[in-house]
Amino acid sequence: MSNKNNVSRRNLLKQGALLVTSGLVMKGRNGFSQTSLPPVDTTKILGALPSELGSRSPFASIKREVGRFDPDGYSMTPLEKLSGIITPSDLHFERHHAGIPLIDPDRYELLIHGLVDRPLKFSLADLKRFPSVSRVCFIECSGNGYKTSFDRSDIPEDITPGQLDGLFSTSEWTGVRLSTLFREVGVRKKASWFLAEGQDAAVMTRSIPMSKAWDDALVVYAQNGESLRPEQGYPVRLLLPGWEGNSSVKWLRRFEISDAPFMTREETAKYADPRSTGKIEMFTFTMGPKSLITSPSYPIILPGKGWWEINGLAWSGNGKIDKVDISVDGGKTWQPATLHEPILSKCTTRFTFPWHWNGKSTLFMSRATDENGLQQPSVAEAREGRGPATYYHNNVIRPWKIDTDGQITFGLNVMV
Ligand SMILES: Nc1nc2c(c(=O)[nH]1)N[C@H]1C(S)=C(S)[C@@H](COP(=O)(O)O)O[C@H]1N2
Ligand SMILES: [Mo]
């Protein structure tokens, strides 16, 4: 498999030489003591000694793609470069409306007030004293999928999976159940909504139905075994499994309990879905079933016909993935992919499918179905059901096109 952007062996050697001249290999954090690349006979050279902090192989560097729009910004997970389901923490996507605040954990406080018996403030240490829980689940920005409405076909063909859908990542999160905290303050019976507020310069606020708190909402302080990254909400964020990323408020400082939604800017001017009826649907929290083939994908060129493994990711905010079907004939026929363990609820599932490419030009794609029987829609189905105006919750089937020369490009424009 060759890849236009892939570093060839020769380029790697050149890069190695560069690393050496810049002293990076000698003095790098990883402590590699070799001064020449490629490593000659590694059995004849003392290897690197242990270090306080690990690092990636210089041959396996990997980066997020960043978009900065003052004061707004995002970075995207390079989905095509990852294996399994966990996103390394330093590659988790980011979406900040007003940058990353630096919060002193010793001065951190979470206030819970409103329709409660005992308004309380919790320090970070207080939160860590409650029974802890861990859960592996995804976060997906509701604007994931190239911010284009279902009706438009202006997504470029030369787009990688990460550039298309990289506002999506999976981590193991640890914290305390929100229901535990709400019981502690004695949430009143008539409470039906609560406000979650962040302490960043955007003061992100969202109204969340009380049912989510009693169901599976978490207040988390750890990610993949260590404290949250600053960009993921250090020291504490709300985590609403399966719901649009925006509602998982980072740098969390306050919950206000109420009997009505608060109608904040983030749920009226934004994060609401205009429909073809002319009406706007609000509080469309759940991320629908979705899948994406991450390999082969643009910019890969398959060198010839034969067996190639189709590899990808599937997820649903409604529960577990039940099946992923693959079509290699433009959507005419479908065959089941193999789902890899673990298959967790509101989490990412890896799938593979052995494909015998006959050398002809075709469109190949995946389609996810979750345990509730909800299925990833085609563009036509999405347009029909939701109207053309919204770009939020874009989970339409994502086809890739392969030419007779093996070049793979994004194929949605061919379909619509
Ligand atoms: N306080 C606060 N919370 C926030 C945001 C923000 O800008 N401020 N961005 C939201 C959006 S739009 C998304 S998609 C997710 C992104 O989470 P991540 O940056 O950890 O991937 O955080 C949400 N929580
Ligand atoms: Mo988002």
Side-chain angles (χ1 to χ4, degrees):
M1 200 179 291
S2 66
N3 174 329
K4 274 189 191 161
N5 286 0
N6 254 3
V7 194
S8 68
R9 195 175 149 68
R10 190 198 249 146
N11 279 339
L12 269 184
L13 299 187
K14 270 196 222 144
Q15 269 188 6
L18 268 180
L19 288 177
V20 174
T21 45
S22 62
L24 274 175
V25 170
M26 284 279 290
K27 297 187 190 118
R29 265 205 322 224
N30 55 20
F32 284 115
S33 60
Q34 287 152 211
T35 50
S36 64
L37 283 174
V40 249
D41 179 353
T42 52
T43 66
K44 299 288 187 286
I45 301 170
L46 176 63
L49 294 175
S51 50
E52 287 174 321
L53 216 49
S55 67
R56 295 196 170 91
S57 160
F59 297 100
S61 76
I62 182 168
K63 282 180 184 153
R64 296 184 286 221
E65 187 163 298
V66 182
R68 292 189 191 95
F69 307 100
D70 197 15
D72 231 329
Y74 65 83
S75 70
M76 305 182 91
T77 297
L79 299 172
E80 65 282 1
K81 301 217 170 100
L82 302 180
S83 309
I85 60 170
I86 300 289
T87 311
S89 299
D90 60 359
L91 295 172
H92 195 287
F93 89 88
E94 303 165 83
R95 179 76 185 91
H96 325 303
H97 291 237
I100 306 166
L102 185 63
I103 296 170
D104 177 352
D106 291 336
R107 282 196 255 165
Y108 174 78
E109 277 180 339
L110 172 63
L111 166 68
I112 309 184
H113 68 137
L115 289 178
V116 300
D117 295 336
R118 298 170 292 280
L120 284 174
K121 278 182 179 169
F122 300 93
S123 68
L124 187 55
D126 293 337
L127 293 178
K128 289 185 176 172
R129 271 190 75 186
F130 285 103
S132 60
V133 284
S134 293
R135 175 166 195 172
V136 183
C137 63
F138 70 82
I139 297 181
E140 182 178 19
C141 177
S142 59
N144 200 26
Y146 203 70
K147 281 211 166 187
T148 189
S149 73
F150 307 120
D151 212 25
R152 281 158 51 192
S153 53
D154 55 1
I155 306 181
E157 288 173 10
D158 54 347
I159 192 169
T160 65
Q163 290 167 336
L164 176 67
D165 275 322
L167 297 175
F168 170 83
S169 307
T170 308
S171 291
E172 183 198 46
W173 305 96
T174 302
V176 49
R177 286 194 181 87
L178 183 54
S179 57
T180 305
L181 301 180
F182 279 3
R183 283 197 189 94
E184 188 72 13
V185 296
V187 164
R188 301 250 172 88
K189 277 223 172 61
K190 69 174 198 175
S192 53
W193 290 80
F194 66 90
L195 183 81
E197 183 181 89
Q199 62 171 295
D200 53 333
V203 195
M204 174 69 64
T205 44
R206 288 295 305 257
S207 311
I208 311 294
M210 212 57 202
S211 54
K212 189 65 173 171
W214 302 129
D215 180 12
D216 60 3
L218 299 176
V219 169
V220 298
Y221 42 75
Q223 171 188 7
N224 297 334
E226 59 178 337
S227 297
L228 290 184
R229 298 252 159 175
E231 56 266 41
Q232 261 70 63
Y234 182 87
V236 175
R237 88 181 294 166
L238 179 62
L239 186 78
L240 303 181
W243 282 19
E244 62 186 16
N246 182 264
S247 59
S248 285
V249 173
K250 303 189 278 189
W251 313 294
L252 185 67
R253 75 167 175 196
R254 186 170 75 96
F255 287 125
E256 185 174 343
I257 317 295
S258 175
D259 55 3
F262 291 75
M263 300 300 183
T264 73
R265 187 177 75 103
E266 304 296 335
E267 54 210 21
T268 51
K270 296 159 83 184
Y271 301 103
D273 299 23
R275 301 298 187 209
S276 42
T277 54
K279 296 209 163 141
I280 291 178
E281 197 177 334
M282 294 178 68
F283 305 117
T284 51
F285 290 114
T286 309
M287 299 308 290
K290 182 164 170 181
S291 68
L292 171 73
I293 292 172
T294 52
S295 174
S297 60
Y298 178 81
I300 284 168
I301 301 169
L302 292 188
K305 57 186 175 185
W307 289 103
W308 297 101
E309 184 178 73
I310 289 181
N311 202 309
L313 300 168
W315 62 95
S316 170
N318 294 294
K320 289 184 185 176
I321 286 295
D322 180 47
K323 61 172 180 163
V324 174
D325 295 308
I326 304 288
S327 174
V328 295
D329 57 8
K332 282 191 220 107
T333 63
W334 297 86
Q335 291 163 270
T338 301
L339 303 185
H340 294 215
E341 297 288 340
I343 303 169
L344 302 170
S345 182
K346 305 179 185 181
C347 192
T348 311
T349 300
R350 175 70 64 174
F351 67 84
T352 52
F353 178 84
W355 174 34
H356 192 272
W357 181 46
N358 60 13
K360 297 201 175 117
S361 175
T362 188
L363 286 168
F364 60 99
M365 61 198 85
S366 60
R367 183 181 67 191
T369 308
D370 67 30
E371 61 179 343
N372 296 307
L374 293 171
Q375 197 167 72
Q376 185 175 6
S378 65
V379 171
E381 286 162 348
R383 198 185 292 152
E384 169 84 21
R386 308 178 201 181
T390 180
Y391 66 77
Y392 291 124
H393 302 269
N394 185 343
N395 63 334
V396 300
I397 290 170
R398 285 139 159 64
W400 296 100
K401 178 171 174 275
I402 185 162
D403 288 339
T404 48
D405 62 3
Q407 172 72 65
I408 294 167
T409 49
F410 191 55
L412 194 67
N413 301 355
V414 185
M415 299 276 286
V416 276

